[in-house]
Amino acid sequence: MKVKVGDVVVPGDIAEEISRVKSETKCVLGPGLRRFSENVIVCKSGIFRKKNPNTYWVDSHQRKYIPVRGESVVGVVVNKSGDIFKVDIGASELASLAYTSFEGATKKNRPDVKLGDVLYAKLKIASLDMEPELECVDSKGKQSGMGVVADDGFLFTCSINVVRKILSPKCPLLKTLGKEIPHEIAVGMNGKVWLKARSIKETIALANAILATEYITNEETNAMCCRIIEALQEVN
Amino acid sequence: MAAMAEDQHVLRKMFCEFDVLSCPDGSAMKYRNRSCLRPNKLIIDKACVEAVYRPKVGQPRVADKTKEKMIGNTCSSAILSTLYPRTSVSIILQEMQNSGGLMACAINAAYLALIRSGIAMKFLVAAVTCGITKDDKVILDPDLNKVKDCHTELMFAFDSIDFNIVAVDSSGQYTEEQYQKALSLCKEASNEIFDFYRNLVKKYACCI
């Protein structure tokens, strides 16, 4: 079946529009699209999107994280062997993190990382054929918000769409809730979210609010935020 | 009589619900099943696709293992396994109720779970069952009562691009003519299943 931008697509559909793009101009194919001889074929189900001038992709539902270089992720330390930590970031394999990739870490001055600690880190190496590798420093060797997060707080997993949604500038959720409920949050592109508010009640309310945004629009999100804030004020 | 003729060429109504299970990467309840990517068995250059079929009661037997193999093969034909090297895709199917056409239902349910998990595929597959009755009539999607009148059951799976046959499962005796008739009937009906897939995606994609 031939599809247009904005349509609901399933694998096997032909994106005819892309074939018509002039051969001199540059065209970017995002996730969910692949070339097959003359045509561009859809390989994921979702909504077909376009960004000018010539960037195309398919917005689809996904829970499994596939590592991408440079993305920030949240993970749990599950193993410590020699000078490498193994971190569960929800991908098909554990990611490795060298102890020297922390701010100010040297051979003598080891970072204090225990099993079960939650980390906010960036993917240094991500390739389909290799184990992903993490780092907790930016290009200047500074921490810049990365590293082990506080001992308390709440870690939960949601679908990758939810993460993309709450991080998009259009989504009012964290802005609105942040004004009324002060909280710390680390959102990983792998669908793991670490959250800490003043009390357990507030933390649970925030976590539920994030999970609920999956199937609602931005306008509905605003209304939901107001309801949550009111409810929390009543409880307190 | 008219009502019966109509009955013969209509699929039973289908229902599906996504995300019934919280842990796997994609789940669909048509007959409940789920799919997940995890490195269980490894093939270096592509994903290893395996299916696990659990019957309603008891341990899986030889017949269930055959089903597993068939579902696994049908699914691996569509999955772009080279995009996922060193991973394995497990499709776990749990039978909850049998009202005829179990094999077709299992394949459709496996595809729904794969759609939900967001794995890259070449095409979709729809499976349709039909039966040949004792008086040599071909009926589409027979339920348990009608199966008793059938001496032969045929299951076809079609891809969504050219409607080519991906898998065939048959039991009983049939002539070539009957086979062709059943094939054309099932091919027509598979359109309905592809529409069902698309509508489901539409329903769940509204707020991405």
Side-chain angles (χ1 to χ4, degrees), chain A residues 1 8 10-13 34 43-45 47 49 59 61 63-64 66 92-93 128-131 161 165 215, chain B residues 19 22 24-25 37 39 80 83-87 115-116 118 120-122 124 160 198 201 205 207-208:
Chain A
M1 205 175 130
V8 168
V10 294
D13 286 347
R34 69 190 185 104
C43 62
K44 280 183 186 178
S45 40
I47 302 173
R49 303 248 193 234
D59 254 347
H61 178 273
R63 288 181 73 100
K64 190 86 214 164
I66 293 166
S92 65
E93 230 177 331
L128 289 175
D129 303 299
M130 272 158 60
E131 191 183 52
N161 302 67
K165 200 168 188 176
Y215 296 115
Chain B
D19 284 341
S22 60
D25 303 321
L37 286 159
L80 284 162
L83 292 183
Y84 306 95
R86 307 191 308 133
T87 49
I115 288 176
R116 192 58 177 164
M121 288 187 281
K122 283 179 234 159
L124 293 178
S160 64
R198 201 177 284 273
V201 174
C207 286
I208 287 178

Side-chain angles (χ1 to χ4, degrees), chain A residues 182-200:
Chain A
H183 61 272
E184 276 183 85
I185 190 167
V187 186
M189 284 310 291
N190 57 343
K192 286 192 195 298
V193 180
W194 175 86
L195 185 65
K196 189 191 164 193
R198 286 175 301 192
S199 65
I200 294 172

Side-chain angles (χ1 to χ4, degrees), chain B residues 3 9-10 17 33 51 69 76 110 134 142 153 171 176 182 184-185 190 192 199:
Chain B
H9 300 285
V10 176
E17 196 183 321
N33 69 346
K69 200 80 193 160
S76 60
K134 280 164 193 148
E153 255 191 279
S171 62
E176 197 183 333
S184 62
L185 205 61
S190 69
E192 205 176 309
N199 286 333

Side-chain angles (χ1 to χ4, degrees), chain B residues 4 8 132-139 149-151 178:
Chain B
M4 249 187 77
Q8 285 166 8
I132 301 168
T133 54
K134 280 164 193 148
D135 41 355
D136 287 341
K137 262 195 273 175
V138 181
I139 53 169
D149 303 331
C150 299
H151 60 79
Q178 283 169 335

Side-chain angles (χ1 to χ4, degrees), chain B residues 125-193:
Chain B
V125 169
V128 187
T129 316
C130 67
I132 301 168
T133 54
K134 280 164 193 148
D135 41 355
D136 287 341
K137 262 195 273 175
V138 181
I139 53 169
L140 199 64
D141 200 14
D143 59 23
L144 273 188
N145 292 328
K146 286 182 192 158
V147 164
K148 282 175 199 151
D149 303 331
C150 299
H151 60 79
T152 302
E153 255 191 279
L154 285 153
M155 192 277 302
F156 298 95
F158 303 96
D159 75 53
S160 64
I161 301 177
D162 306 318
F163 299 99
N164 289 328
I165 300 174
V166 181
V168 184
D169 183 32
S170 65
S171 62
Q173 280 186 335
Y174 49 87
T175 62
E176 197 183 333
E177 197 188 329
Q178 283 169 335
Y179 176 85
Q180 292 299 347
K181 196 180 170 197
L183 178 63
S184 62
L185 205 61
C186 290
K187 200 176 256 185
E188 230 170 81
S190 69
N191 256 319
E192 205 176 309
I193 296 175

Side-chain angles (χ1 to χ4, degrees), chain A residues 197-217:
Chain A
R198 286 175 301 192
S199 65
I200 294 172
K201 258 182 209 144
E202 286 184 350
T203 308
I204 293 170
L206 282 171
N208 284 338
I210 289 169
L211 289 173
T213 48
E214 183 157 14
Y215 296 115
I216 59 177
T217 58

